[in-house]
């Protein structure tokens, strides 16, 4: 793996200031969540730090990498919303550019936007950290998620928090009249069946 200095330099060069600060906040949050759920804190920090490494690539550059370099390992439905391209490309970039070969980190980067059914605990931590980091996310929303985590201990609390995130994501996509990937609906349904009864809807 390339050095952290190299990775940080790459991120500074290829991300906007706002996106870079988001990545730092996500990394800090992921490390905190990893500590709570007994996961590798350093690995979580690194995964969250690099999760958006391709976020500021143009749509044209992203689709060219998808079609010409990656070619396989994604569904056509994932390409109907350009906002999801960067996760697939990001998982590719961290292997090619940063020489990261850890399957947990690659999976977490790959699945941090749409999600997937049967996500690992590590996947869930990175996904949630992306949604609640303090540098760019709405404070009212992040506090709501932390209250859920504090009230519901263990992995069940993490799943409830994820379900709330998916509800908000789906609502936002509908409001903006954007395509919803079937995988996102599948994850929502999986979480709803698992922890939907625990939601406080008041």
């Amino acid at each position: 793996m390339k050095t952290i200095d190299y990775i940080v330099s790459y991120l500074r060069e290829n991300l906007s200031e706002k996106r870079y600060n988001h990545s730092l906040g996500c990394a800090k949050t992921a490390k905190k969540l990893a500590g709570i759920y007994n996961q590798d804190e350093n690995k979580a920090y690194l995964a969250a730090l690099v999760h958006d490494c391709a976020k500021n690539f143009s749509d044209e550059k992203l689709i060219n990498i998808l079609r010409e370099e990656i070619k396989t390992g994604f569904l056509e439905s994932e390409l109907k919303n350009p906002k999801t391209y960067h996760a697939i490309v990001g998982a590719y970039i961290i292997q090619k550019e940063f020489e990261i070969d850890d399957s947990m980190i690659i999976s977490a980067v790959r699945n941090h936007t749409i999600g997937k059914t049967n996500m690992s605990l590590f996947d869930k931590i990175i996904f949630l950290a992306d949604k609640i980091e303090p540098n760019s996310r709405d404070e009212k929303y992040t506090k709501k998620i932390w209250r859920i985590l504090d009230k519901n201990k263990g992995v069940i609390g993490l799943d409830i928090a994820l379900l709330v995130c998916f509800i908000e994501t789906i609502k936002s996509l509908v409001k903006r009249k954007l395509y919803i990937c079937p995988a996102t609906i599948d994850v929502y349904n999986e979480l709803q069946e698992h922890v939907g009864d625990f939601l406080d809807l008041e």
Side-chain angles (χ1 to χ4, degrees), residues 13-55:
E13 183 177 340
N14 287 278
L15 296 179
S16 67
E17 182 178 359
K18 179 180 178 180
R19 185 58 49 179
Y20 177 71
N21 287 333
H22 161 73
S23 298
L24 293 179
C26 187
K28 184 178 179 179
T29 304
K31 184 175 182 177
K32 180 177 180 179
L33 288 170
I36 294 171
Y37 297 103
N38 299 312
Q39 296 291 294
D40 188 316
E41 294 181 27
N42 292 329
K43 187 180 293 190
Y45 185 94
L46 177 60
L49 181 67
V50 302
H51 81 286
D52 267 351
C53 64
K55 180 69 174 181

Side-chain angles (χ1 to χ4, degrees), residues 11-201:
L11 296 176
R12 282 187 178 278
E13 183 177 340
N14 287 278
L15 296 179
S16 67
E17 182 178 359
K18 179 180 178 180
R19 185 58 49 179
Y20 177 71
N21 287 333
H22 161 73
S23 298
L24 293 179
C26 187
K28 184 178 179 179
T29 304
K31 184 175 182 177
K32 180 177 180 179
L33 288 170
I36 294 171
Y37 297 103
N38 299 312
Q39 296 291 294
D40 188 316
E41 294 181 27
N42 292 329
K43 187 180 293 190
Y45 185 94
L46 177 60
L49 181 67
V50 302
H51 81 286
D52 267 351
C53 64
K55 180 69 174 181
N56 289 133
F57 290 0
S58 68
D59 290 349
E60 181 181 8
K61 180 175 182 177
L62 288 168
I63 202 69
N64 281 341
I65 293 173
L66 283 162
R67 296 297 192 192
E68 302 300 324
E69 297 184 40
I70 300 176
K71 298 181 182 178
T72 62
F74 54 86
L75 301 173
E76 286 300 314
S77 60
E78 293 183 83
L79 304 186
K80 291 189 177 182
N81 184 347
K83 292 184 178 297
T84 67
Y85 297 172
H86 74 281
I88 308 170
V89 174
Y92 172 74
I93 292 295
I94 67 169
Q95 295 174 78
K96 179 183 177 183
E97 185 69 33
F98 304 152
E99 299 176 2
I100 293 173
D101 60 3
D102 188 294
S103 60
M104 290 174 66
I105 295 176
I106 295 166
S107 175
V109 173
R110 172 67 175 81
N111 295 294
H112 83 269
T113 53
I114 294 173
K116 67 173 183 177
T117 55
N118 299 311
M119 279 195 288
S120 70
L121 180 56
F122 191 81
D123 286 335
K124 292 176 180 179
I125 285 170
I126 305 307
F127 189 99
L128 189 62
D130 182 32
K131 303 298 184 187
I132 65 171
E133 62 84 15
N135 291 353
S136 65
R137 302 307 190 192
D138 179 72
E139 185 178 6
K140 182 179 178 181
Y141 178 72
T142 61
K143 285 183 175 180
K144 175 182 177 180
I145 298 299
W146 279 112
R147 283 195 299 270
I148 291 171
L149 296 175
D150 289 339
K151 181 180 178 181
N152 303 275
K153 302 302 182 182
V155 177
I156 193 168
L158 189 61
D159 285 345
I160 296 169
L162 282 170
L163 177 55
V164 171
C165 288
F166 273 90
I167 290 171
E168 293 303 317
T169 295
I170 291 169
K171 284 164 60 178
S172 175
L173 290 169
V174 170
K175 184 178 181 180
R176 290 179 289 160
K177 299 180 175 64
L178 295 175
Y179 177 81
I180 302 175
C181 185
T184 296
I185 301 298
D186 289 342
V187 179
Y188 164 79
N189 285 334
E190 178 185 66
L191 291 167
Q192 176 65 34
E193 289 183 4
H194 180 47
V195 296
D197 291 343
F198 292 91
L199 278 180
D200 180 8
L201 299 178

